[in-house]
């Protein structure tokens, strides 16, 4: 009986991380992201010194981790910056966003690589980004 209590306590302590585990759902399937009812916003343009800057918000994409929405600033035909308006509150998302934005600025399109470990957020990001690019025209 003296051994039963420590064994029971240690068994429960060992199972706590298993109960708290939240899988990343990194299955490689792109069917996890579904587009929300909110369409991409209408572009707003401003000009200063001869260059036209246009800011467009992409669609809000509902993912298993939470909503994803980007805002893209175009400088003429070039993507000047990308800002996350909505993103899941998840450590992998927080780490992936700077990499997604950097790749977008280099590629100048939504044709970028998925960040390993943040597949769901990456897919939502790319879908919202493409909606903003399409809305710009």
């Amino acid at each position: 009986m003296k051994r039963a209590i420590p064994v029971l306590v240690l068994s429960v302590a060992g199972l706590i991380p298993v109960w708290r585990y939240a899988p990343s759902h990194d299955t490689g399937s792109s069917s996890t992201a579904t587009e929300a009812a909110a369409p991409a916003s209408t572009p707003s343009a401003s000009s200063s010194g001869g260059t036209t800057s246009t800011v467009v918000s992409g669609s809000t994409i509902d993912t298993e981790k939470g909503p994803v929405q980007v805002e893209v600033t175009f400088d003429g035909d070039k993507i000047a910056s990308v800002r996350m308006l909505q993103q899941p509150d998840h450590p992998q998302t927080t780490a992936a966003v700077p990499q997604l934005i950097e790749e977008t600025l280099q590629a100048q399109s939504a044709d970028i690589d998925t960040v390993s470990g943040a597949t769901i957020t990456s897919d939502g990001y790319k879908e919202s980004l493409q909606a903003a690019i399409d809305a710009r025209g």
Side-chain angles (χ1 to χ4, degrees):
M1 185 68 181
K2 290 183 180 181
R3 291 185 188 172
I5 293 174
V7 168
L8 182 61
V9 170
L10 291 174
S11 296
V12 170
L15 288 174
I16 289 173
V18 174
W19 291 326
R20 294 183 48 108
Y21 176 73
S24 67
H25 301 291
D26 191 9
T27 61
S29 117
S30 62
S31 63
T32 56
T34 57
E35 188 169 339
S41 70
T42 307
S44 62
S46 65
S47 66
S48 63
T51 61
T52 302
S53 183
T54 307
V55 179
V56 183
S57 295
S59 298
T60 301
I61 308 301
D62 287 325
T63 71
E64 292 175 18
K65 299 290 183 184
V68 177
Q69 184 181 25
V70 300
E71 178 182 82
V72 182
T73 303
F74 294 93
D75 217 1
D77 289 336
K78 183 180 176 187
I79 297 174
S81 67
V82 179
R83 183 171 70 103
M84 293 294 284
L85 297 178
Q86 296 183 61
Q87 71 183 48
D89 184 23
H90 199 271
Q92 290 152 324
T93 296
T94 305
V97 167
Q99 186 175 347
L100 291 167
I101 292 172
E102 182 180 329
E103 286 190 34
T104 301
L105 296 175
Q106 288 177 359
Q108 290 295 302
S109 74
D111 186 22
I112 59 173
D113 291 333
T114 298
V115 176
S116 179
T119 303
I120 293 170
T121 300
S122 296
D123 290 345
Y125 172 91
K126 291 191 285 186
E127 194 171 336
S128 182
L129 177 63
Q130 187 62 56
I133 292 169
D134 292 346
R136 180 178 171 270

